Amino acid sequence: MKNEIRILMLEDEARDVTLANRALKEGDIPFSLKRVVTRSAFLNELQKNTPDLIISDHALPDFDGSAALQLAREKSPDIPFIFFTSSLGEENILDNLKMGASDYVLKHRINDLAPAVRRVLREKEERIRRKQAEAALRKSEEQLRALIENVTDYAIYMLDIEGRVASWNAGAERMKGYQAEEVIGKPFSVFFSGEDAESRIPESLLRRSPIEGTTKHQGWCVRKDGTRFCASWSITPVRDGSGKINGFSTVTRDVTEQAKAEEALQKSEERYRLLVEFSPCGVLVHSGGRVIFSNSTAAKMLGAKDLQQMLGRSIRDFIHPDCWAAVEKRIESLHAGKIVPFLEEIWVGFDGRPVDVMVGATPLVFEKDFENPVIQVIALDISELKRSEEDLRKSEERFRLAVESVKDYAIYMLDKDGRVTSWNEGAERITGLGADEVLSKVVNHCEPDNKKAKKEAAKELERAAMEGRIQNEGWCQRKDGSSYYAIWTVTAVKDAADTITGFLKVARDVTERKQHEEQVARWNTELEQRVAERTAQLEAANKELEAFSYSVSHDLRAPLRHIDGFVDILQTTALEKLDEESRQHLQTIADSAKQMAKLIDDLLGFSRMSRVKMNKRQVNLATLVQDAARHLQGDMKGRAIEWAIGDLPTVEGDPEMLRQVFMNLIDNALKYSRNQKKARVEIGSFPEEDDNVVFVRDNGVGFDMRYADKLFGVFQRLHRAAEFEGTGVGLANVRRIIHRHGGRTWAEGEINAGATFYFTLPKKVIE
């Protein structure tokens, strides 16, 4: 104890005060002691000169120690209170300890006083530190809660142990479209697409999370309004003090645009993947010490039978024992983010044959995180080149290409004046500035030492205060002077009274993506030129093909007319001379000729549908349905049919073409439901954002959804002609007509449970 402690002593015996003074001095305790005897004097000291410690006799002339303890607990509950008495019954001891006494010391054991004082003062200091720590923890939790609740770019929420939503931040509300009261208590599987939910991916993520620590997943999710978006998930188990899992923290990021960009980039880089595959250099990628990718050159270099034999093998299996120690150090350096030089190594093939290689390695960072660091190894077989130093130098030059891509997030808080109040590792990694360099200062992450840039940062905060949230992007500069391209958002953080208390700033290094976008733009320009040339060639070829199809179909009619005519003559003049089998053969020829004629007519109609000019005007679909039903009256004779026709919109389109659509779809509904005692045909519509969706539903034989993609193809049929007549052209014609109107077609069905055919027509005018 370095500081002097102030002791207030309640004692009517001066001799006992002297004993206490001596014991405390001998115990090397720095102190000042004030003695009081009466209740009023004791109360006055508590109110005006609060002591650090109270030592009290139990029996006093004016009042007893228990009453003094009660007063002390009421006025100053944190002051330690030690009884110093000649005798105290066990029952009194327990009662006083329950009331809050810190300790008791018997006067005939005066040597116990100093240790007791030290102990209770240590306990007091510990309580103070604990309260301060708890206060700091509460403040930190409040800051974290404010940070999370005000993050709008990320959906951050908690799940209970069963996977039900337990908390919901503003980012989750913005991203998924649900208010907190709509999702709290519901399983988080409602956010997944139907196919992912059926595959039980949500349950799989929760099972994997305790094993993997943090489970990552990317897939399609569904908002409240039914729209889909691509999301990156991160699920981490939350454990209590005993290590038991009591829930999960979930962070979701909308990566739809990124997924689209990756898809575009993937298509643009397809030819470069082929270059990697057929490169003369061996390329290996390993994670966690095991091979996850190999090109054909690397497999051939090591004598593998096929690429599959390479995958999953330990990288150590391919390294010569004399080189392994050096390779381990290089891997450690790569994991630490260091650059390693190109070096010669000896690899070992599957047959034990040593292979001299020149090896370069670099860490890879992907948008989709891997559990373990990923390292790319590029190797060249230099067995024949080692004799020549010049050749070795050239081979090293070819491999002195390293790709480094770091895509981290800088997340930090500012106070309302723009001074930094928190600074995460990502901010330090991206800007090169340590926390000690920026805390309590006004800093612009783009140009830290530029006064003009700091003024721009101040303007950003003004905009964020007015608009709530702003986004910006541009080229920035690190502490070391290097440049990088960043996207950042600034969000105003408000308290319950809607007063701005600070700002949240999130920045992301997207230099590589920016460069890819510029490259993709250049490739797209070249591609558009090639597409224009190819389109002109295809248009000319299509015109020739349509003319050819029309000519062939037209010329087929002549032999069919001859077949049909001679069959008719035979049936008229020679039918009685034929036996029963010959009559059936003759009838088969007649039926086939008619079917062929119908097929030619349908093909001609299908061909014409792509050439005929559209005559668009306002069309009432309900009128077209009535016209189509009248034309099909012959198919309804003697049948029990229930019609359910709902409200249908007025659209812009070609009435003759759209009438043909309803003719084909209603004809199909009547045909495939004719085996039902009571057929039901339902026709209706419902709106979407930009389209009207129209459907025709029946209760007929239905179809297997595995073959739904074949329904709208030419000559594609899911039922035998002996069961249901047709040429397989009708639905193809429907799709062509709807596509010419700018719409889509699809179908849903179930075997023996009916089918529904859908098509869309735009609400907006199609020029």
Side-chain angles (χ1 to χ4, degrees):
M1 301 179 188
K2 296 181 180 180
N3 298 325
E4 183 179 83
I5 63 170
R6 290 175 289 110
I7 300 176
L8 178 62
M9 188 166 186
L10 266 167
E11 179 58 65
D12 58 339
E13 292 290 339
R15 180 176 60 84
D16 291 341
V17 175
T18 302
L19 288 174
N21 268 292
R22 184 184 302 129
L24 293 173
K25 288 179 180 178
E26 290 176 355
D28 197 24
I29 296 177
F31 72 97
S32 62
L33 187 146
K34 183 165 184 178
R35 173 193 175 197
V36 295
V37 177
T38 65
R39 182 181 187 280
S40 59
F42 177 68
L43 186 59
N44 183 64
E45 288 298 321
L46 287 179
Q47 294 174 338
K48 295 183 178 180
N49 302 301
T50 305
D52 297 316
L53 173 66
I54 299 173
I55 300 176
S56 174
D57 195 354
H58 190 268
L60 297 166
D62 188 21
F63 70 125
D64 61 16
S66 297
L69 174 61
Q70 186 174 356
L71 279 174
R73 294 285 76 86
E74 293 174 356
K75 302 297 182 181
S76 302
D78 294 329
I79 301 176
F81 193 105
I82 298 177
F83 277 105
F84 182 56
T85 181
S86 297
S87 62
L88 194 62
E90 183 177 345
E91 184 176 345
N92 287 333
I93 291 173
L94 292 176
D95 290 342
N96 288 324
L97 289 176
K98 290 178 181 178
M99 289 175 58
S102 304
D103 206 347
Y104 70 95
V105 177
L106 298 176
K107 291 182 178 179
H108 68 273
R109 299 183 64 178
I110 190 67
N111 291 334
D112 292 343
L113 182 60
V117 168
R118 286 195 186 91
R119 183 181 61 78
V120 299
L121 289 175
R122 282 197 304 271
E123 291 175 352
K124 176 184 176 182
E125 291 174 356
E126 182 60 30
R127 286 195 301 272
I128 292 173
R129 283 195 297 269
R130 187 163 57 248
K131 288 182 178 179
Q132 290 173 344
E134 289 173 353
L137 180 60
R138 283 194 300 272
K139 183 177 180 181
S140 175
E141 288 176 345
E142 290 172 359
Q143 290 177 339
L144 179 60
R145 187 178 299 108
L147 175 67
I148 291 175
E149 289 178 352
N150 286 280
V151 170
T152 57
D153 289 338
Y154 294 83
I156 304 175
Y157 54 96
M158 297 293 295
L159 306 176
D160 64 16
I161 192 65
E162 301 296 332
R164 294 184 293 264
V165 178
S167 71
W168 198 247
N169 81 328
E173 180 178 327
R174 182 190 67 82
M175 189 180 299
K176 301 178 187 290
Y178 291 96
Q179 301 289 331
E181 58 271 15
E182 296 179 282
V183 294
I184 297 295
K186 291 188 177 180
F188 85 125
S189 58
V190 300
F191 309 133
F192 285 75
S193 65
E195 52 268 28
D196 283 356
E198 289 179 4
S199 301
R200 304 190 69 81
I201 286 178
E203 292 82 355
S204 172
L205 294 177
L206 295 184
R207 286 196 304 271
R208 287 164 46 201
S209 181
I211 300 172
E212 300 173 358
T214 295
T215 298
K216 299 183 181 296
H217 173 71
Q218 181 165 316
W220 288 96
C221 296
V222 181
R223 296 186 178 91
K224 177 184 176 182
D225 61 6
T227 58
R228 290 159 59 98
F229 66 99
C230 188
S232 174
W233 300 74
S234 177
I235 301 177
T236 304
V238 178
R239 303 176 186 269
D240 59 19
S242 65
K244 181 180 178 182
I245 296 175
N246 55 23
F248 303 88
S249 68
T250 303
V251 180
T252 308
R253 179 163 56 104
D254 185 342
V255 295
T256 306
E257 294 302 321
Q258 177 183 326
K260 292 179 180 178
E262 288 176 353
E263 183 179 358
L265 184 61
Q266 181 180 10
K267 291 178 180 178
S268 301
E269 293 181 340
E270 187 62 32
R271 52 186 174 179
Y272 296 100
R273 289 196 188 91
L274 294 175
L275 288 176
V276 170
E277 177 58 30
F278 296 105
S279 169
C281 304
V283 180
L284 287 177
V285 178
H286 64 86
S287 175
R290 296 197 174 274
V291 175
I292 62 174
F293 171 80
S294 169
N295 73 342
S296 300
T297 304
K300 183 178 179 181
M301 188 184 300
L302 293 168
K305 296 178 181 178
D306 51 42
L307 293 178
Q308 194 65 32
Q309 191 178 6
M310 298 287 294
L311 301 182
R313 293 295 295 265
S314 171
I315 193 69
R316 186 168 185 172
D317 293 346
F318 305 128
I319 306 299
H320 193 280
D322 295 342
C323 301
W324 179 245
V327 170
E328 277 191 310
K329 291 182 179 179
R330 284 158 62 83
I331 291 175
E332 291 176 1
S333 298
L334 288 167
H335 288 175
K338 299 178 181 178
I339 298 174
V340 298
F342 287 85
L343 292 176
E344 291 183 18
E345 291 179 8
I346 301 175
W347 284 8
V348 180
F350 282 89
D351 57 359
R353 174 179 55 87
V355 182
D356 292 305
V357 291
M358 174 66 69
V359 174
T362 181
L364 299 180
V365 179
F366 297 96
E367 287 286 349
K368 296 179 180 177
D369 298 332
F370 282 76
E371 181 180 356
N372 295 306
V374 178
I375 295 174
Q376 175 182 264
V377 179
I378 303 175
L380 178 68
D381 186 344
I382 58 170
S383 301
E384 300 298 327
L385 301 178
K386 289 187 66 176
R387 298 176 184 178
S388 171
E389 183 177 354
E390 180 63 21
D391 289 344
L392 179 60
R393 186 191 67 78
K394 292 180 180 179
S395 67
E396 287 179 343
E397 288 293 328
R398 288 198 300 268
F399 292 99
R400 293 191 183 277
L401 299 174
V403 179
E404 295 184 8
S405 172
V406 177
K407 296 181 180 179
D408 281 321
Y409 291 82
I411 304 175
Y412 54 98
M413 295 290 296
L414 309 174
D415 64 17
K416 61 182 180 180
D417 296 319
R419 291 186 292 268
V420 177
T421 60
S422 71
W423 193 253
N424 79 329
E425 291 183 7
E428 182 173 342
R429 191 160 49 248
I430 289 177
T431 65
L433 294 168
D436 56 337
E437 299 177 271
V438 297
L439 288 177
S440 302
K441 296 180 181 178
V442 177
V443 176
N444 185 321
H445 72 268
C446 280
E447 298 180 70
D449 299 324
N450 189 308
K451 293 182 179 180
K452 181 179 179 182
K454 290 181 179 180
K455 291 181 179 179
E456 292 297 322
K459 291 181 180 179
E460 276 191 345
L461 298 187
E462 292 177 5
R463 285 181 53 210
M466 294 177 60
E467 301 174 20
R469 176 180 176 274
I470 63 169
Q471 180 170 314
N472 209 343
E473 61 180 81
W475 286 100
C476 301
Q477 188 176 28
R478 297 185 179 89
K479 178 183 177 181
D480 62 4
S482 61
S483 297
Y484 64 99
Y485 197 86
I487 295 177
W488 65 91
T489 60
V490 183
T491 304
V493 179
K494 299 181 180 181
D495 59 18
D498 205 33
T499 301
I500 294 177
T501 59
F503 300 89
L504 168 67
K505 203 161 188 176
V506 180
R508 180 159 58 108
D509 182 350
V510 293
T511 307
E512 185 178 355
R513 193 185 80 182
K514 181 68 175 177
Q515 293 169 345
H516 283 324
E517 288 174 351
E518 293 173 352
Q519 182 64 54
V520 168
R522 290 193 292 270
W523 287 336
N524 283 341
T525 301
E526 297 175 5
L527 182 60
E528 287 174 1
Q529 293 174 351
R530 295 180 183 179
V531 168
E533 295 171 0
R534 185 60 177 162
T535 299
Q537 296 171 359
L538 288 174
E539 287 177 351
N542 281 338
K543 288 180 180 179
E544 293 179 5
L545 182 60
E546 288 177 3
F548 176 75
S549 298
Y550 183 81
S551 175
V552 169
S553 299
H554 187 271
D555 292 344
L556 285 175
R557 290 178 176 276
L560 278 177
R561 283 195 295 269
H562 285 84
I563 292 171
D564 190 53
F566 282 109
V567 166
D568 187 55
I569 291 171
L570 286 173
Q571 287 179 330
T572 303
T573 62
L575 191 63
E576 297 299 329
K577 300 176 183 179
L578 300 176
D579 58 20
E580 183 60 30
E581 184 178 358
S582 298
R583 293 175 183 175
Q584 291 177 359
H585 291 336
L586 188 60
Q587 186 61 43
T588 299
I589 295 171
D591 293 342
S592 297
K594 289 184 175 61
Q595 177 67 10
M596 185 65 180
K598 179 68 168 62
L599 183 58
I600 292 171
D601 288 340
D602 288 349
L603 281 174
L604 286 173
F606 185 70
S607 175
R608 272 196 307 273
M609 196 56 66
S610 64
R611 302 191 309 273
V612 67
K613 183 178 179 180
M614 291 180 65
N615 179 22
K616 293 189 295 183
R617 60 176 183 268
Q618 292 293 311
V619 180
N620 187 320
L621 296 185
T623 301
L624 296 186
V625 169
Q626 294 172 1
D627 291 347
R630 279 196 299 271
H631 280 85
L632 296 170
Q633 284 294 327
D635 295 334
M636 294 184 272
K637 288 182 179 180
R639 293 180 57 184
I641 301 174
E642 177 186 350
W643 292 88
I645 301 177
D647 293 334
L648 294 172
T650 296
V651 299
E652 183 175 86
D654 186 302
E656 293 304 320
M657 290 185 179
L658 294 179
R659 181 181 290 107
Q660 187 63 46
V661 168
F662 281 112
M663 287 280 291
N664 290 353
L665 293 180
I666 296 173
D667 181 55
N668 271 5
L670 294 172
K671 181 189 342 180
Y672 291 107
S673 63
R674 68 188 176 199
N675 294 333
Q676 299 293 329
K677 291 182 179 180
K678 185 174 183 180
R680 175 179 169 82
V681 179
E682 181 182 356
I683 304 171
S685 69
F686 56 87
E688 285 187 342
E689 184 175 356
D690 298 319
D691 299 317
N692 287 304
V693 181
V694 183
F695 64 87
V696 177
R697 181 177 293 126
D698 64 69
N699 63 340
V701 295
F703 61 88
D704 190 334
M705 281 297 290
R706 290 179 298 173
Y707 309 111
D709 57 331
K710 296 183 177 182
L711 285 172
F712 293 94
V714 180
F715 305 137
Q716 297 290 337
R717 305 195 63 217
L718 302 186
H719 302 87
R720 292 183 298 108
E723 294 178 309
F724 299 100
E725 68 281 357
T727 61
V729 179
L731 289 179
N733 221 11
V734 168
R735 171 161 286 182
R736 174 165 288 186
I737 292 171
I738 295 303
H739 279 192
R740 291 197 65 186
H741 282 77
R744 298 173 288 116
T745 57
W746 71 97
E748 297 174 355
E750 184 178 346
I751 296 175
N752 296 324
T756 306
F757 290 84
Y758 298 89
F759 63 87
T760 66
L761 294 170
K763 293 179 181 178
K764 297 180 181 179
V765 175
I766 304 299
E767 297 296 338

